Amino acid sequence: MECPPQEDFVPAVISAADVIDESELTERILARVQQHVDLMLEQRLPPLMVSTMDRAVEELVAHTRRELALTLREIVATAVLDEALPGRGAVESLAPDGVA
């Protein structure tokens, strides 16, 4: 086996520029991943938020309707009692213990 002539052999020299800085590489990769995540969020989050907000509004409206119906029933019950019992005043009918 022949060895290459000495003049053709150039030893590999690693310069400081060729050394990978781990923290710099980490920062570059992190920046790329963050950009990718941001882009995906910008694309996917709005439709998800629309459906989530729609459900939240529906639940809020339903809850408000239930509370309003309960309040109206209480008002009507008080008015019926006031009409049925002429001597009973509106203030008395709202007594917390329910006794006039």
Side-chain angles (χ1 to χ4, degrees):
M1 229 191 213
E2 284 186 37
C3 290
Q6 285 293 347
E7 63 232 23
D8 292 341
F9 179 72
V10 178
V13 177
I14 298 176
S15 69
D18 294 335
V19 175
I20 296 174
D21 181 2
E22 185 178 341
S23 65
E24 182 182 323
L25 180 60
T26 300
E27 289 301 316
R28 283 190 310 199
I29 292 172
L30 183 61
R32 281 200 320 249
V33 168
Q34 186 64 47
Q35 287 174 344
H36 185 69
V37 167
D38 289 345
L39 180 62
M40 289 183 71
L41 286 175
E42 286 175 16
Q43 292 172 349
R44 295 184 181 181
L45 196 56
L48 293 174
M49 290 301 295
V50 167
S51 65
T52 300
M53 293 300 292
D54 285 345
R55 282 194 309 272
V57 168
E58 288 172 6
E59 290 176 20
L60 180 61
V61 168
H63 176 74
T64 302
R65 284 185 177 154
R66 286 190 302 270
E67 291 296 317
L68 180 60
L70 179 61
T71 301
L72 286 174
R73 286 174 203 244
E74 291 172 359
I75 290 170
V76 169
T78 301
V80 167
L81 282 176
D82 287 345
E83 289 294 319
L85 304 170
R88 179 183 163 95
V91 174
E92 293 174 358
S93 65
L94 296 177
D97 59 5
V99 178

